[in-house]
Amino acid sequence: MKKTMMVAALAGVFATAAQAQSSVTLFGLIDAGVTYTNNQSGHSTWQQTSGTVNGSRWGLRGGEDLGGGLKAIFTLENGFSINNGAAGQNNRLFGRQAFVGLASDQFGSVTLGRQYDSVIDFVAPISLVASPYGGTITAHPFDNDNLNNTIRINNSVKYTSANYGGLKFGALYGFSNTAGEFANNRAYSAGGSYRFGGLNVALGYLQLNNDINNLATSTNSPGAVTGSLPFTAGTQRTFGGGVGYTLGPVTAGIVYTQTNLSNALGGSIGAAQAGTAAPVRLRANSARLQNIEGNVRYALTPMVTLAGSYTYTRTNFGAGENPNYNQVNLQAQYAMSKRTSVYLQGDWQHVSSNPYGFGAHLNGLSGASSTQDQVAVSTGLRHTF
């Protein structure tokens, strides 16, 4: 009897120990607020908004210790609208991220699934676009450099290195998954960053290959890039870099990105992005957009943070269609706790050198302005778990 009880007790201990080698964490963020816009399609609007700063999401993240510094890891992350509960990312169950892989303390990780590219991983953290101090509405026009995650890469294999004295690097390849079309609707990306004290320096590159005559936009397509894309063009190349520095309560950053479109003749910018009644046809075989962002945030107190950024975007769409965008973003945030904060944010965009009448359009709003200016003021509540 005593032996039986001892065996049962030991079995329980070993089961508990084995269970302790694995973990699954539920995480998420909810961002809800009210936004006033001076002009959307010629009218001012008051709207209850979801994800004005950071997209609402929930997810599962887990790992299993395999021994010797090796782990099995996974992430499943769903985006949704707090306004109506609808799933985001074209109604995907786990549209933000879905991947599984192996991670080594010494060598880094290899993961497979729907994932972010290297520009997002390394350059975006220096921008206010990827932070809770600016976020979605501060994205560069059309999110042309993807710092706000408009594009995720399906069918991707991704390597991310370990941290080697502040140096990290990585690369990604997204397969077309279509027989006989290896180079069509594929993607690849690479980048890296170096951190030393308060300094952060980063570089990133992303390339998307598509056939504009057969562009896969359906979520059922097997390609690497699917969904609603800002541009239709044969090839999209985006590269960028940034330098950030933190000194006491102040963090400042400068980010430069450039997006080049080639084999673009006959391609377009979607009407929703361009702020016109119909998609804007690209007038040359190539097009280019350059963004320069300067940003700063200041922790006024442990609870109050002030932040702001200015972005200048220079475009060249051909045939004199070269609008320039100026955007100013300001935010004040009050942390009610470690997980809950309220914010007040103002954003202004102005389009100059604009003979074709592009309407200003702040990212994330439901409509473009009928003029070259658009102003939005938002107040909201963010809660993380």
Side-chain angles (χ1 to χ4, degrees):
M1 181 67 178
K2 290 183 179 179
K3 288 183 179 181
T4 302
M5 294 177 63
M6 184 176 294
V7 169
L10 288 173
V13 169
F14 287 130
T16 302
Q19 187 176 12
Q21 302 301 309
S22 301
S23 65
V24 177
T25 301
L26 173 67
F27 68 93
L29 182 153
I30 302 170
D31 181 341
V34 175
T35 298
Y36 166 79
T37 310
N38 72 323
N39 189 319
Q40 290 192 55
S41 304
H43 302 278
S44 62
T45 60
W46 287 91
Q47 296 173 295
Q48 199 261 294
T49 50
S50 173
T52 300
V53 174
N54 297 122
S56 298
R57 81 288 300 260
W58 70 272
L60 299 170
R61 184 183 295 118
E64 180 185 15
D65 191 345
L66 302 176
L70 187 66
K71 290 182 179 180
I73 58 173
F74 75 89
T75 294
L76 302 172
E77 186 175 9
N78 167 273
F80 66 93
S81 169
I82 195 66
N83 291 356
N84 55 18
Q89 292 78 51
N90 296 99
N91 205 36
R92 288 179 168 89
L93 178 60
F94 295 112
R96 292 183 64 89
Q97 298 184 87
F99 64 81
V100 65
L102 297 173
S104 163
D105 294 340
Q106 184 177 0
F107 299 109
S109 64
V110 176
T111 50
L112 299 93
R114 177 175 169 86
Q115 304 178 83
Y116 294 133
D117 65 82
S118 298
V119 176
I120 294 174
D121 288 344
F122 299 107
V123 179
I126 302 176
S127 168
L128 281 195
V129 178
S131 79
Y133 305 103
T136 298
I137 201 169
T138 69
H140 306 158
F142 324 129
D143 192 24
N144 67 82
D145 48 16
N146 202 40
L147 294 188
N148 193 51
N149 316 330
T150 297
I151 299 168
R152 277 92 168 173
I153 311 300
N154 298 331
N155 317 321
S156 63
V157 179
K158 181 176 180 178
Y159 169 73
T160 304
S161 76
N163 189 331
Y164 299 114
L167 175 65
K168 291 189 70 174
F169 52 90
L172 171 148
Y173 186 88
F175 291 84
S176 70
N177 273 19
T178 301
E181 296 188 25
F182 181 79
N184 185 43
N185 204 348
R186 67 174 177 177
Y188 48 91
S189 183
S193 65
Y194 176 70
R195 293 176 181 266
F196 180 77
L199 178 67
N200 182 14
V201 181
L203 295 170
Y205 176 79
L206 168 66
Q207 179 163 327
L208 310 176
N209 288 359
N210 301 287
D211 176 358
I212 62 174
N213 297 316
N214 187 30
L215 184 67
T217 57
S218 167
T219 57
N220 295 321
S221 166
V225 183
T226 62
S228 301
L229 308 181
F231 309 109
T232 56
T235 303
Q236 177 176 328
R237 297 179 177 90
T238 296
F239 65 88
V243 178
Y245 194 80
T246 298
L247 181 63
V250 179
T251 298
I254 297 175
V255 174
Y256 172 82
T257 59
Q258 180 170 313
T259 292
N260 296 308
L261 308 175
S262 59
N263 188 22
L265 194 61
S268 67
I269 303 169
Q273 288 88 6
T276 60
V280 175
R281 309 303 295 183
L282 299 177
R283 300 170 184 271
N285 192 53
S286 62
R288 181 176 64 193
L289 301 94
Q290 301 176 78
N291 310 280
I292 301 175
E293 176 193 328
N295 61 71
V296 63
R297 68 177 187 264
Y298 174 57
L300 183 63
T301 72
M303 294 180 292
V304 178
T305 301
L306 306 177
S309 67
Y310 167 72
T311 299
Y312 173 71
T313 300
R314 183 178 182 180
T315 73
N316 185 344
F317 297 134
E321 193 171 67
N322 305 320
N324 298 324
Y325 295 79
N326 298 269
Q327 187 165 321
V328 176
N329 314 285
L330 298 171
Q331 187 199 91
Q333 185 172 143
Y334 177 77
M336 304 175 71
S337 70
K338 289 184 178 181
R339 295 186 175 184
T340 303
S341 62
V342 291
Y343 61 83
L344 176 65
Q345 182 162 325
D347 305 276
W348 169 67
Q349 186 183 97
H350 171 74
V351 188
S352 60
S353 302
N354 190 23
Y356 288 89
F358 278 58
H361 189 192
L362 292 164
N363 191 58
L365 297 183
S366 57
S369 174
S370 62
T371 71
Q372 62 188 5
D373 292 280
Q374 190 171 58
V375 175
V377 179
S378 305
T379 183
L381 171 71
R382 294 175 66 255
H383 177 74
T384 61
F385 58 91

